[in-house]
Amino acid sequence: DVKVTQSSRYLVKRTGEKVFLECVQDMDHENMFWYRQDPGLGLRLIYFSYDVKMKEKGDIPEGYSVSREKKERFSLILESASTNQTSMYLCASRPGLAGSEQYFGPGTRLTVT
Amino acid sequence: RKEVEQDPGPFNVPEGATVAFNCTYSNSASQSFFWYRQDCRKEPKLLMSVYSSGNEDGRFTAQLNRASQYISLLIRDSKLSDSATYLCVVNMGDNFNKFYFGSGTKLNVKP
């Protein structure tokens, strides 16, 4: 059974703080993703990674960076948190086979005050 | 225009009813299609992939219409436990790691 875990379920940070969100998957998947989900907007892709140390920007990368030093771990970094980054953050992974689905972690609800 | 569009609902139906959702997508080169289910405050989970020939899994049937660029989900004999938000997901094909999500259709099944 695929398992994707995220470091925190709930997080409260202050404006300007540096925030780290961690994601770990245990199925040796090549690809990992970070999304944010906001009401009425659906899931929007922030960044994804298709290999260790490789990353690509998604649709809304501004204000975020990522790190993938090991295959199983993908980190999302908010360099200087702002209130408009208050959201639900979802990590996902998928194997390298075309057409395969994504498996999601439980999400981190981040509030920036 | 959004890449993937869904009717947000909510669809309020009695137990035992049949309900259908549609989802339209903008890119005719799209390759892979999925329906995910998301319960309140939980992560999305795959309900079913959608194949060109259509596919069925118990009470759930998914169809793909490439000519009109939409996919559908039919739920027969609705159960209370089917209450959730259903997300339409499309891979656009230009990058097999780029998935586009609809904003979801909320289903409430009432006793």
Side-chain angles (χ1 to χ4, degrees), chain A:
Chain A
D1 205 21
V2 176
K3 190 145 187 185
V4 181
T5 56
Q6 294 183 228
S7 50
S8 305
R9 292 301 303 272
Y10 300 94
L11 209 52
V12 179
K13 295 291 182 181
R14 293 195 181 276
T15 301
E17 280 193 84
K18 191 168 185 175
V19 182
F20 293 86
L21 302 182
E22 300 274 319
C23 174
V24 177
Q25 51 96 3
D26 66 358
M27 285 302 292
D28 202 37
H29 287 170
E30 289 82 359
N31 306 290
M32 297 186 75
F33 307 79
W34 276 106
Y35 294 90
R36 63 178 282 177
Q37 185 174 27
D38 300 287
L41 297 177
L43 276 79
R44 293 179 291 165
L45 181 65
I46 304 171
Y47 269 96
F48 69 94
S49 169
Y50 52 91
D51 202 349
V52 175
K53 297 191 187 294
M54 306 305 288
K55 61 187 179 186
E56 280 198 34
K57 292 179 180 180
D59 299 309
I60 52 163
E62 298 79 17
Y64 303 95
S65 61
V66 291
S67 172
R68 193 165 180 204
E69 297 296 319
K70 292 185 177 181
K71 191 175 185 180
E72 68 271 18
R73 188 179 298 269
F74 192 33
S75 303
L76 180 69
I77 303 143
L78 287 67
E79 296 291 341
S80 176
S82 63
T83 54
N84 63 13
Q85 292 178 310
T86 291
S87 187
M88 170 68 88
Y89 289 87
L90 289 157
C91 175
S93 73
R94 68 185 287 268
L97 190 63
S100 56
E101 74 265 26
Q102 296 177 308
Y103 298 84
F104 285 87
T108 295
R109 185 164 293 279
L110 172 68
T111 302
V112 183
T113 60

Side-chain angles (χ1 to χ4, degrees), chain A residues 31 33 37 94 96 102 105, chain B residues 32 34 36 38 43 46 96-97:
Chain A
N31 306 290
F33 307 79
Q37 185 174 27
R94 68 185 287 268
Q102 296 177 308
Chain B
S32 306
F34 308 89
Y36 277 73
Q38 187 173 27
E43 73 273 24
L46 180 71
F96 78 103
N97 269 324

Side-chain angles (χ1 to χ4, degrees), chain B residues 8-95:
Chain B
F11 285 59
N12 298 306
V13 302
E15 269 187 294
T18 295
V19 61
F21 310 136
N22 281 340
C23 162
T24 58
Y25 59 93
S26 61
N27 189 329
S28 59
S30 297
Q31 297 290 330
S32 306
F33 309 86
F34 308 89
W35 283 102
Y36 277 73
R37 171 194 169 124
Q38 187 173 27
D39 293 292
C40 189
R41 299 188 179 278
K42 299 278 193 177
E43 73 273 24
K45 292 186 178 177
L46 180 71
L47 179 66
M48 56 199 308
S49 302
V50 187
Y51 304 120
S52 296
S53 54
N55 46 304
E56 187 173 310
D57 183 3
R59 298 181 293 109
F60 299 85
T61 300
Q63 297 278 357
L64 167 63
N65 185 318
R66 284 192 184 272
S68 300
Q69 293 181 210
Y70 76 85
I71 65 173
S72 64
L73 178 67
L74 181 78
I75 305 175
R76 290 181 297 278
D77 189 22
S78 299
K79 310 290 184 192
L80 296 176
S81 57
D82 293 334
S83 297
T85 297
Y86 291 84
L87 306 177
C88 170
V89 184
V90 178
N91 171 248
M92 292 293 174
D94 54 339
N95 182 326

